[in-house]
Amino acid sequence: MKKCSYFFDFLISHAKVYGFIFPSSEIYGGLNAIYDYGPHGVELKNNIKEFWWKSMTLLHENIVGVDSSILMHSDVWHASGHVDKFNELLIDHKDSKKRYRPEILIQEYVKKNFLNNPKKKEEILSRLSQSLEKKDLGDIKVLIDELCICDPVFKTKNWTDIRHFNMMFKIKNGKDLYLRPETAQGVFSNFHNIVKSSRMKIPFGIAQIGKSFRNEFIARRFLFRMREFEQMEMQFFILPEEEIKWYEYWKENRLKWHLELKLGDKTSYQLCDHDHLSHYASAGSDIEFHFPFGFQEIEGIHSRRDFDLKNHEFFSKKKIRIFEWKKNYIPYVIETSLGLDRLFLAIFSSSLKKEKLKNGKIRIVLKLPYFLSPIKAAIFPLVRKDGLQEIAKKIFHDMKIHHRLVYDEKESIGKLYRRQDAIGTPFCFTVDYDTIKTDTVTMRNRDSMEQKRIHIKEISKIIKQETGFEKVLKKLYHFILFFSYFSL
Ligand code: ATP
């Protein structure tokens, strides 16, 4: 645990020092669980978004996009069930004034204290599960009392009763407005317009990337649980009788997508079916990733059936239906919902390495997938004299509109390499005295640190081939064809 928290402190500091993530409003003391993306962070984040967007809308001609507003009519949230049911359980500790989720308190207590008594552990967790199922808040409280669970800091048992806590942020603006807690409702409320304007036929999907807000009262683990975050969601509309087929397909597809990021092998992921479903879902599965603090959800795949469209029909009194093949019906929905910031954390944490070099020195390197790196290549002159700067600057200016590059001459070549390693730049090209004679430069690879000479004319082609999206998109497309997506 100590090792994990040490690594986490190192990661947070690295993210700040190298311009990836800053605490929001830091000059005023910060804001709990809200973060800003710095110059390199925003590039990495944009690349992740672009990769997801292309994987959805380029590789599937029957998936279209939308960008709906954050604020919506408050009836949207009544229809979706979020006003009544988007709740978490909450317990307050009267002495420490801290808030906890009671089920997590119990789970963590049991994990720690019944390591050698699996039978007892199972018994308590099963009782907890039953109480959650029956929504028996009284019994969960009794369980906390029986186990004598104390506040971790105050070591006392002075707990309040357990109550429900709605996770939506409410804005008073005459009428109540809500900051959306998921992007999906912008898709459902636009369903009719999208079908009409895009002439989509079942099965088809609608993809969206956008901000969501949840009043997480236990926000921790950096980007993992934030109060303002971004989601990349896709709702796939299908014939009701094809629910299982598409649910299984999208689980498989999304896992394959994660594996293509090469953050780890198959053992870094696990698919877990939900015991407790969200209020809108009839089936749900999480893709869990092995974060530095253990396996945790990174993406959810749900079958929402006709829950949302049916409720919007009822609340809006407008027909939201598909008329096809002489049939008139409300389609079912399979949803894939990925947290952009959580994925950013997964990518950042699994890429950040401290490596011991042959000379005994340590280098810090961010081994990002090349196609996601904020900067694709750096161009340096070996020294700031004898015309080397001019050649290096010309290479940089000739290529800068094709690739995201940096030109740097501010430090010695060794330090310049280290800086690019720390922000994950896959290639560095150095102009030296041989460049003047042979039109060649030294190409240095981030991961292997190997150097070789290449002709100036080859630079652009190498950057495109090695750091572009095409290679990985092609692999995903083969997967889609292999699974005969288009005839499923
Ligand atoms: P959790 O159980 O971790 O609270 P959830 O099951 O409520 O997540 P969903 O409603 O399925 O999450 O949301 C889909 C995805 O959105 C999640 O898999 C996660 O990647 C992301 N997400 C949800 N809540 C947050 C948050 N507070 N901060 C960052 N990302 C989040």
Side-chain angles (χ1 to χ4, degrees):
M1 205 58 196
K2 244 188 191 154
K3 222 173 164 187
C4 159
S5 94
Y6 168 75
F7 176 71
F8 229 62
D9 290 346
F10 161 60
L11 180 147
I12 293 170
S13 147
H14 189 88
K16 186 176 162 192
V17 171
Y18 286 94
F20 285 90
I21 306 287
F22 306 136
S24 165
S25 338
E26 195 184 13
I27 54 168
Y28 293 102
L31 196 55
N32 189 20
I34 315 265
Y35 293 95
D36 297 337
Y37 287 78
H40 293 130
V42 69
E43 295 297 338
L44 172 55
K45 189 179 179 190
N46 284 343
N47 289 342
I48 300 171
K49 284 199 231 185
E50 190 180 341
F51 176 51
W52 183 88
W53 190 256
K54 285 186 164 159
S55 308
M56 286 295 174
T57 62
L58 273 192
L59 299 188
H60 307 88
E61 56 260 40
N62 58 350
I63 298 183
V64 291
V66 71
D67 184 10
S68 65
S69 51
I70 287 170
L71 295 178
M72 287 187 256
H73 195 292
S74 57
D75 284 354
V76 167
W77 304 110
H78 288 282
S80 70
H82 283 81
V83 173
D84 290 334
K85 300 204 178 98
F86 194 55
N87 299 319
E88 292 284 2
L89 296 182
L90 163 80
I91 190 165
D92 283 305
H93 191 262
K94 291 182 198 164
D95 302 333
S96 71
K97 308 277 181 265
K98 286 209 162 177
R99 305 200 130 161
Y100 297 90
R101 281 171 62 178
E103 69 278 29
I104 307 276
L105 268 183
I106 295 172
Q107 283 159 355
E108 285 184 351
Y109 179 88
V110 166
K111 219 193 242 172
K112 210 165 128 194
N113 292 282
F114 294 102
L115 208 64
N116 300 323
N117 192 347
K119 205 166 151 221
K120 181 83 183 154
K121 184 174 156 189
E122 196 48 49
E123 191 186 300
I124 297 168
L125 291 181
S126 140
R127 180 167 153 200
L128 172 65
S129 182
Q130 282 170 27
S131 304
L132 286 170
E133 197 69 44
K134 286 191 268 171
K135 300 192 173 34
D136 187 347
L137 307 195
D139 190 53
I140 301 175
K141 177 71 194 303
V142 170
L143 203 48
I144 289 180
D145 292 338
E146 279 177 13
L147 292 169
C148 295
I149 297 178
C150 295
D151 176 273
V153 184
F154 271 65
K155 312 283 181 217
T156 56
K157 291 178 278 182
N158 203 2
W159 299 107
T160 63
D161 282 340
I162 297 172
R163 60 186 193 281
H164 287 288
F165 176 82
N166 192 282
M167 303 279 286
M168 281 198 294
F169 282 106
K170 205 190 262 184
I171 303 176
K172 279 264 176 248
N173 182 19
K175 238 180 154 192
D176 280 344
L177 284 179
Y178 298 94
L179 293 182
R180 66 179 180 199
E182 60 171 15
T183 60
Q185 296 307 322
V187 165
F188 298 128
S189 54
N190 274 305
F191 181 75
H192 194 60
N193 285 334
I194 296 171
V195 173
K196 267 191 145 177
S197 57
S198 63
R199 298 183 300 145
M200 282 287 144
K201 297 253 179 285
I202 298 289
F204 75 93
I206 303 174
Q208 172 161 222
I209 301 177
K211 290 263 182 176
S212 291
F213 301 81
R214 294 185 188 177
N215 197 358
E216 304 276 4
F217 52 88
I218 307 171
R220 49 185 177 155
R221 290 175 176 162
F222 198 31
L223 306 182
F224 183 81
R225 193 168 296 286
M226 297 157 82
R227 292 194 289 154
E228 174 181 338
F229 56 99
E230 231 167 317
Q231 289 182 309
M232 306 194 283
E233 296 198 305
M234 195 278 300
Q235 282 73 32
F236 197 72
F237 296 90
I238 54 168
L239 283 168
E241 55 270 31
E242 297 191 337
E243 179 189 12
I244 308 260
K245 182 176 84 178
W246 284 113
Y247 178 55
E248 293 304 324
Y249 170 78
W250 279 109
K251 281 202 295 192
E252 193 95 37
N253 176 301
R254 296 307 304 150
L255 187 57
K256 172 75 185 155
W257 188 88
H258 284 280
L259 285 167
E260 280 311 319
L261 293 171
K262 304 268 187 288
L263 304 184
D265 57 14
K266 279 190 179 155
T267 59
S268 309
Y269 294 90
Q270 57 190 28
L271 255 174
C272 297
D273 289 332
H274 285 190
D275 289 336
H276 302 288
L277 292 168
S278 309
H279 66 271
Y280 50 74
S282 60
S285 204
D286 289 339
I287 297 180
E288 293 191 344
F289 177 70
H290 196 252
F291 285 93
F293 39 82
F295 274 105
Q296 293 288 336
E297 170 179 348
I298 191 163
E299 173 158 8
I301 294 115
H302 308 112
S303 171
R304 296 176 80 129
R305 294 203 174 160
D306 54 1
F307 177 88
D308 301 87
L309 291 182
K310 210 169 169 178
N311 282 339
H312 285 303
E313 237 196 32
F314 179 77
F315 273 76
S316 69
K317 302 189 178 53
K318 306 255 166 35
K319 283 261 173 277
I320 306 181
R321 292 185 171 241
I322 288 284
F323 296 94
E324 261 176 27
W325 314 109
K326 296 190 183 152
K327 257 171 85 180
N328 157 2
Y329 65 98
I330 301 181
Y332 273 20
V333 181
I334 305 297
E335 165 184 87
T336 69
S337 178
L338 171 60
L340 175 54
D341 314 85
R342 246 180 228 190
L343 178 59
F344 187 108
L345 179 61
I347 293 171
F348 200 82
S349 59
S350 50
S351 302
L352 187 59
K353 315 268 180 214
K354 268 187 187 175
E355 280 183 356
K356 195 161 186 190
L357 302 176
K358 277 185 200 143
N359 61 9
K361 286 192 175 158
I362 301 286
R363 81 158 175 159
I364 295 168
V365 54
L366 194 61
K367 290 191 165 172
L368 295 169
Y370 288 178
F371 65 101
L372 296 180
S373 288
I375 308 285
K376 302 302 180 200
I379 317 285
F380 312 135
L382 182 64
V383 286
R384 280 179 283 177
K385 57 181 186 179
D386 301 329
L388 300 189
Q389 284 165 298
E390 284 68 30
I391 301 173
K393 275 185 192 162
K394 182 168 180 344
I395 294 173
F396 169 74
H397 288 299
D398 285 350
M399 294 196 313
K400 72 180 180 195
I401 58 165
H402 303 294
H403 316 284
R404 187 160 291 281
L405 307 177
V406 288
Y407 170 84
D408 204 347
E409 56 170 34
K410 292 184 201 85
E411 287 167 294
S412 69
I413 199 75
K415 283 190 180 154
L416 292 177
Y417 283 155
R418 289 291 170 272
R419 181 166 174 81
Q420 295 307 318
D421 285 346
I423 60 169
T425 305
F427 298 104
C428 295
F429 297 95
T430 304
V431 169
D432 54 23
Y433 288 105
D434 281 349
T435 312
I436 300 169
K437 291 180 246 156
T438 60
D439 276 347
T440 59
V441 291
T442 305
M443 177 174 98
R444 184 230 190 220
N445 177 277
R446 177 195 71 194
D447 298 344
S448 64
M449 295 169 61
E450 271 172 19
Q451 302 190 7
K452 64 176 183 181
R453 289 207 79 80
I454 60 153
H455 198 277
I456 290 175
K457 278 189 194 153
E458 287 182 275
I459 299 178
S460 190
K461 199 175 86 196
I462 291 173
I463 298 175
K464 184 169 185 294
Q465 261 172 12
E466 297 297 323
T467 71
F469 286 104
E470 282 79 357
K471 229 177 10 192
V472 57
L473 282 175
K474 260 188 197 154
K475 273 201 192 162
L476 284 171
Y477 191 56
H478 284 142
F479 165 83
I480 292 169
L481 291 179
F482 179 74
F483 271 82
S484 320
Y485 167 88
F486 295 103
S487 60
L488 260 173

